[in-house]
Amino acid sequence: MSAPDPRLSINQATIKYSNLEEALRVTAGAGIHAIGLWREPVNEVGLDVAARMLADSGLRFSTHCRGGFFTLPDGPQRRAALDDNRRAIEETATLAAAGADGSTAVLVLVAGGLPEGDRDLIGARERVRDAIGALAPDAKAAGVTLAIEPLHPMYASDRAVVSTLGQALDIASDFDAEVVGAAVDTFHIWWDPQVLEQIARAGREGRIATYQVCDWKTPLPADVLLGRHYMGDGVIDFASLTQAVVQTGYDRDIEVEIFNADIWADAPEHVVRRTAEAFTATVSPHLR
Amino acid sequence: MSAPDPRLSINQATIKYSNLEEALRVTAGAGIHAIGLWREPVNEVGLDVAARMLADSGLRFSTHCRGGFFTLPDGPQRRAALDDNRRAIEETATLAAAGADGSTAVLVLVAGGLPEGDRDLIGARERVRDAIGALAPDAKAAGVTLAIEPLHPMYASDRAVVSTLGQALDIASDFDAEVVGAAVDTFHIWWDPQVLEQIARAGREGRIATYQVCDWKTPLPADVLLGRHYMGDGVIDFASLTQAVVQTGYDRDIEVEIFNADIWADAPEHVVRRTAEAFTATVSPHLR
């Protein structure tokens, strides 16, 4: 196998059952240059230790996953969620500083769904905007970019009321581009009739905080959260989407984040190798 | 129980296992004034017999379900699909003429998914536009309105490449409004950040060919086609959506179309009664 693409980053969720030590070792061991981390495995060892482990790995740090979940109305739970997001911002800054040159301080935000018993989608979306407003000064002070991630509309009720890239950009437009951007994830937005124009807009507005790739295939599994696939195994056209992102001037790491029970059950060394091969076949040709 | 709302129409798919005779009898027997039919049970008895049965029932005819499935590239299969749509147009005209006063000749179109092995979503969407262009003269001659139905984006790959109301309206805009409109179905579009403005646009452009309601709830069932629910059992805000439709001046029948294995397993008399009650509770208050 040829060397992995130098812009490939493995999002740790792709090898979900690896702890931080294994995730770093397997990723670096495969000749990959970058990794996106999740909060739980980082906090399992503690932030300082995690930062040292990351530095020792020689890997770049591409994103921290994840903050958000702030659609609740005002009250102790919402305030606790905001405080937790502030900790996530600090983690992001610390890890980005510990990663190799070219690391980026990007915190991915998943908006959260409708609160139990609530049908006011517009109100929930407004609370997302308000929460980002509350966090923006902290992010700015820490040098962290908040990446609003639009999730596929099938998650709109129970996971993320931000459903399109255009909507994420509308929310982001209230804030400085270096503080609030959007996550462009093929799985979530490939179906959108406006996807190419919204990617171009995101580029013009300087808002592409991260580009993430994986594939869509049906039938969906019983747990629709786990319906992601290696690039090339589904129907997404990585050529047009990647070219659209490249044309904006986006030149940073590209993450692969796959939630899939079969892939999680596989050996992480094999998953990382397979991911690198899929990336080389489907994404790399469009990066020139 | 009070009398069903006079604008409620039972889409036959809600009582999927009823043949035409039973569907008409149960619907009329519940004091409901209108029905939307499906091609299979109509063709089971033959169009002439079906039209006579419909006339005898005294019910209005609100839509015929369904045409479409024309994303295939040119070839015998595509031509067969277009011919089949032409038959569906004739059926729609015949049934609308047989239904009670206030019947509407509306044929619902489901676009179809990506052809096997195809990743060119934009091309598939263009073929939908082309197919509607091929059918529009037939529809016009028959006095039938083709209702492009945007389906939820989770069906974009395997069932309908038309995913938003805005996209359906963009396609429809090439044609006369009385010939090509859109189906506004709450289940498919409730999540869309642009839904209220696109409903208003559909009204302005005279394109609301049918308004259909049912609810969204998670977790989705293993077969995500069957995740529809009685209004009120899920998270959709029927107030804002129905008010938006009413404000356009839409004053025709409103269909309930529910795909749900548990509801299908229930007695059709009970399903129809329960549907009428749910409609009165969630939709009727917003029709004044």
Side-chain angles (χ1 to χ4, degrees):
Chain A
M1 154 187 175
S2 55
D5 192 293
R7 291 178 64 186
L8 167 62
S9 175
I10 298 291
N11 184 291
Q12 187 171 3
T14 304
I15 45 173
K16 180 186 172 75
Y17 300 134
S18 292
N19 62 17
L20 182 61
E21 183 278 324
E22 185 173 73
L24 293 167
R25 174 169 48 78
V26 167
T27 300
I32 291 164
H33 295 225
I35 194 164
L37 296 180
W38 277 62
R39 299 191 65 199
E40 294 76 2
V42 163
N43 286 312
E44 203 173 69
V45 300
L47 179 59
D48 292 347
V49 173
R52 207 171 322 126
M53 291 166 69
L54 175 64
D56 290 346
S57 76
L59 292 169
R60 290 190 300 271
F61 174 71
S62 51
T63 70
H64 200 37
C65 294
R66 58 197 180 177
F69 296 97
F70 29 43
T71 48
L72 287 171
D74 204 17
Q77 276 189 289
R78 180 176 178 84
R79 288 194 292 278
L82 289 174
D83 284 344
D84 191 49
N85 274 277
R86 291 188 179 99
R87 283 189 292 279
I89 289 170
E90 288 306 318
E91 292 165 18
T92 305
T94 300
L95 292 166
D101 281 357
S103 292
T104 47
V106 172
L107 175 63
V108 175
L109 301 184
V110 171
L114 283 169
E116 185 69 30
D118 192 351
R119 294 188 173 93
D120 179 11
L121 187 57
I122 293 171
R125 287 168 168 167
E126 283 305 313
R127 290 193 293 279
V128 171
R129 186 189 295 267
D130 292 346
I132 291 171
L135 295 173
D138 302 276
K140 183 165 190 158
V144 167
T145 302
L146 304 173
I148 305 171
E149 181 164 31
L151 257 57
H152 192 285
M154 70 184 169
Y155 307 125
S157 60
D158 56 12
R159 183 150 299 253
V161 296
V162 178
S163 305
T164 65
L165 181 54
Q167 184 193 5
L169 294 173
D170 286 346
I171 296 173
S173 68
D174 284 354
F175 308 96
D176 289 348
E178 73 271 21
V179 178
V180 182
V184 175
D185 183 322
T186 57
F187 178 83
H188 294 303
I189 64 172
W190 72 277
W191 59 271
D192 186 347
Q194 302 179 342
V195 66
L196 295 180
E197 69 194 69
Q198 293 298 334
I199 289 174
R201 172 189 168 198
R204 273 196 316 277
E205 298 178 356
R207 304 272 182 190
I208 303 184
T210 176
Y211 178 44
Q212 305 192 342
V213 292
C214 71
D215 216 336
W216 170 278
K217 187 165 80 168
T218 59
L220 296 167
D223 180 348
V224 295
L225 278 175
L226 308 187
R228 308 197 198 189
H229 297 270
Y230 291 120
M231 298 77 73
D233 285 1
V235 302
I236 292 180
D237 176 23
F238 292 98
S240 65
L241 295 173
T242 301
Q243 286 161 7
V245 169
V246 166
Q247 277 162 20
T248 68
Y250 181 85
D251 60 2
R252 300 190 300 282
D253 291 325
I254 300 170
E255 282 191 21
V256 177
E257 183 187 52
I258 304 177
F259 299 173
N260 179 309
D262 292 335
I263 293 175
W264 287 345
D266 199 355
E269 291 82 359
H270 181 247
V271 171
V272 165
R273 195 168 63 237
R274 181 88 171 67
T275 299
E277 289 167 358
F279 191 96
T280 296
T282 60
V283 177
S284 299
H286 312 292
L287 297 179
R288 330 253 175 253
Chain B
M1 154 187 174
S2 54
D5 192 292
R7 290 178 65 186
L8 166 62
S9 175
I10 298 290
N11 184 291
Q12 188 171 3
T14 305
I15 46 174
K16 182 186 170 77
Y17 300 134
S18 292
N19 62 16
L20 182 62
E21 183 277 323
E22 184 174 71
L24 294 167
R25 175 170 45 80
V26 167
T27 300
I32 291 163
H33 296 224
I35 194 164
L37 296 180
W38 277 61
R39 297 190 66 197
E40 294 76 1
V42 163
N43 286 313
E44 203 173 69
V45 299
L47 180 59
D48 293 345
V49 172
R52 207 171 323 128
M53 290 167 69
L54 174 64
D56 290 346
S57 76
L59 292 168
R60 291 189 299 270
F61 174 71
S62 50
T63 70
H64 201 36
C65 294
R66 60 199 179 177
F69 296 97
F70 29 45
T71 49
L72 286 172
D74 204 16
Q77 277 190 288
R78 180 177 178 83
R79 288 193 292 276
L82 289 174
D83 285 343
D84 191 48
N85 274 277
R86 291 187 179 100
R87 282 190 292 278
I89 288 169
E90 288 307 318
E91 292 166 18
T92 305
T94 300
L95 292 167
D101 280 357
S103 292
T104 47
V106 173
L107 175 62
V108 176
L109 301 183
V110 171
L114 284 169
E116 186 68 31
D118 191 351
R119 293 188 174 92
D120 179 10
L121 187 57
I122 293 172
R125 287 168 168 167
E126 282 307 313
R127 290 193 294 278
V128 171
R129 185 189 296 268
D130 292 346
I132 291 172
L135 295 173
D138 302 276
K140 184 166 189 157
V144 167
T145 302
L146 304 174
I148 306 171
E149 181 164 31
L151 257 55
H152 192 285
M154 70 184 171
Y155 307 124
S157 60
D158 56 11
R159 184 150 297 255
V161 296
V162 177
S163 305
T164 64
L165 180 54
Q167 183 194 4
L169 294 173
D170 286 347
I171 295 172
S173 68
D174 284 354
F175 307 96
D176 290 348
E178 73 272 20
V179 179
V180 182
V184 175
D185 183 321
T186 57
F187 178 83
H188 293 303
I189 64 173
W190 73 276
W191 59 270
D192 186 346
Q194 302 178 344
V195 66
L196 296 181
E197 70 195 66
Q198 293 299 334
I199 289 174
R201 172 189 167 199
R204 271 197 316 277
E205 298 177 356
R207 304 273 183 190
I208 303 183
T210 176
Y211 178 44
Q212 305 193 343
V213 292
C214 71
D215 216 335
W216 170 278
K217 187 165 81 168
T218 60
L220 296 167
D223 180 348
V224 295
L225 278 176
L226 308 187
R228 308 196 198 189
H229 298 270
Y230 290 120
M231 300 77 73
D233 286 1
V235 302
I236 292 179
D237 177 23
F238 292 98
S240 64
L241 296 173
T242 301
Q243 286 161 8
V245 170
V246 166
Q247 277 162 22
T248 68
Y250 182 86
D251 59 1
R252 300 190 300 282
D253 291 325
I254 300 171
E255 280 191 22
V256 176
E257 183 186 52
I258 304 176
F259 299 173
N260 179 307
D262 292 335
I263 293 174
W264 287 345
D266 199 354
E269 292 82 359
H270 180 247
V271 171
V272 165
R273 196 167 62 236
R274 180 87 171 69
T275 299
E277 288 167 358
F279 190 95
T280 296
T282 59
V283 178
S284 300
H286 312 292
L287 296 180
R288 328 257 175 252

